Amino acid sequence: MKAILALIIAVIVGGLIWFSLLADKSSAPTVTPETVSAPVISRQQILHATDLAEGVKQAVVQDNDAEINKWLDKAIELANIAQLDQQDLDYLQSPAAKNYVIFHAKRSLFNDEFERAYYAIEDIEPLKEKYPEAQDLFAKADKLVMTRNQLIQQLAAELSNGTQVNDEHLLQAKKLWQQRFVKP
């Protein structure tokens, strides 16, 4: 009986010693050989920076290739300061980067011109032809236009007081819709 009790005590003491050694090892600070610092900005963040995007957008409107190149040069300068990888620098200097920023500028221009046309109650088909880069946005734009047109039709029906809706009713309904929804 004493042997069993001594064995249990030995196991408990051994377990406590083992757990205390584990606790000491986990609380010891870990030293890494050399930490690699990551850049403070990424290639994507540079390409989507507001000033670059707006600058390229204006250059696209003006069809000014030299100005687009100036904006890309600024992006490369920032990438060098941020110490981006050579692969990122190579991309920023490539025709692919230029095509990328132009593509996104045209999509942004589509959004801007769509908003103007939407509130002016104009057809958006010319915008679709002008900005094929925004093709994935066309269905949503069409749905917005359809909803707008339905609201205008409902307003015209209310204005007609149960009579046939005519051009005069539609014109009044468009003016009412614009008064209610167009930003001042």
Side-chain angles (χ1 to χ4, degrees):
M1 179 74 150
K2 287 183 183 182
I4 294 176
L5 185 58
L7 184 60
I8 292 175
I9 292 174
V11 169
I12 291 174
V13 171
L16 289 174
I17 292 171
W18 185 67
F19 283 120
S20 68
L21 289 175
L22 284 178
D24 286 343
K25 286 182 183 177
S26 67
S27 65
T30 51
V31 179
T32 54
E34 187 178 317
T35 57
V36 177
S37 62
V40 294
I41 192 167
S42 72
R43 175 177 76 186
Q44 283 302 105
Q45 289 170 319
I46 291 172
L47 289 172
H48 290 279
T50 305
D51 56 341
L52 179 111
E54 287 300 315
V56 171
K57 189 161 80 169
Q58 287 305 312
V60 167
V61 167
Q62 298 165 356
D63 197 25
N64 188 339
D65 197 55
E67 191 66 21
I68 295 169
N69 290 334
K70 284 182 187 177
W71 280 104
L72 285 171
D73 289 343
K74 290 178 184 181
I76 293 164
E77 183 180 331
L78 178 59
N80 279 318
I81 292 169
Q83 299 177 341
L84 291 186
D85 293 337
Q86 187 60 44
Q87 181 181 4
D88 290 331
L89 290 169
D90 291 343
Y91 178 79
L92 290 171
Q93 295 169 343
S94 73
K98 185 174 183 177
N99 292 336
Y100 182 86
V101 295
I102 291 171
F103 175 84
H104 283 281
K106 288 182 177 181
R107 288 173 59 85
S108 181
L109 286 166
F110 172 81
N111 283 330
D112 295 348
E113 291 184 34
F114 169 78
E115 184 175 3
R116 186 203 53 74
Y118 178 82
Y119 289 117
I121 310 175
E122 295 174 353
D123 184 24
I124 65 164
E125 290 305 315
L127 297 178
K128 292 179 181 180
E129 292 173 18
K130 186 176 180 181
Y131 299 111
E133 297 83 0
Q135 186 173 7
D136 62 313
L137 304 175
F138 293 170
K140 188 173 183 175
D142 287 337
K143 189 173 183 176
L144 288 169
V145 168
M146 187 177 68
T147 302
R148 176 202 66 194
N149 292 345
Q150 287 172 346
L151 287 172
I152 291 170
Q153 286 292 334
Q154 288 172 354
L155 282 170
E158 289 176 20
L159 291 171
S160 72
N161 290 325
T163 62
Q164 181 72 25
V165 174
N166 60 29
D167 290 342
E168 179 68 27
H169 296 130
L170 283 173
L171 185 61
Q172 287 177 339
K174 287 177 182 180
K175 286 180 183 177
L176 284 172
W177 183 87
Q178 286 177 321
Q179 288 173 357
R180 184 166 185 187
F181 294 107
V182 175
K183 302 173 196 171

